[in-house]
Amino acid sequence: MKRIIALILALAAICVLLCSCGNMNVWGIGNYSFTHIHFTDMNEGHCAEVIQWYDNDNGIEVQTTEYGSLFLSEGSYIMFETGSRCPYCE
């Protein structure tokens, strides 16, 4: 019985460790290798090249080459890959 409990705890710990990986990993469902972002300041839109980004419950923190570090709330940005055209600027 102790071995079963230890096995369940070990599996739970592994799941927690794998879930805490960054957004730019290649594991899991979906593609997290976005390299460009279009965001708005409610007046006009801007496009930027993404160096790295991190997601949380309220939005994302993005480091860009053009604007430095930004915190963008949900609904004020769209991310896309290299080679894709910005759906708002193009």
Side-chain angles (χ1 to χ4, degrees):
M1 187 65 174
K2 289 181 181 180
R3 286 186 182 195
I4 294 173
I5 293 173
L7 180 64
I8 291 172
L9 289 176
L11 289 174
I14 289 171
C15 289
V16 168
L17 290 174
L18 289 177
C19 291
S20 65
C21 295
N23 286 328
M24 297 184 69
N25 63 10
V26 293
W27 299 344
I29 299 172
N31 182 4
Y32 295 106
S33 60
F34 300 113
T35 56
H36 289 82
I37 188 167
H38 178 88
F39 62 95
T40 180
D41 60 2
M42 300 306 164
N43 289 325
E44 58 184 45
H46 307 280
C47 283
E49 183 178 349
V50 173
I51 298 171
Q52 60 184 347
W53 62 279
Y54 302 99
D55 190 14
N56 66 24
D57 293 336
N58 299 322
I60 60 170
E61 182 180 349
V62 161
Q63 185 174 3
T64 65
T65 55
E66 292 88 350
Y67 300 102
S69 293
L70 302 168
F71 179 81
L72 302 169
S73 62
E74 293 292 331
S76 66
Y77 65 90
I78 183 170
M79 298 182 80
F80 53 97
E81 298 177 15
T82 305
S84 300
R85 294 184 179 181
C86 177
Y88 297 106
C89 294
E90 297 292 326

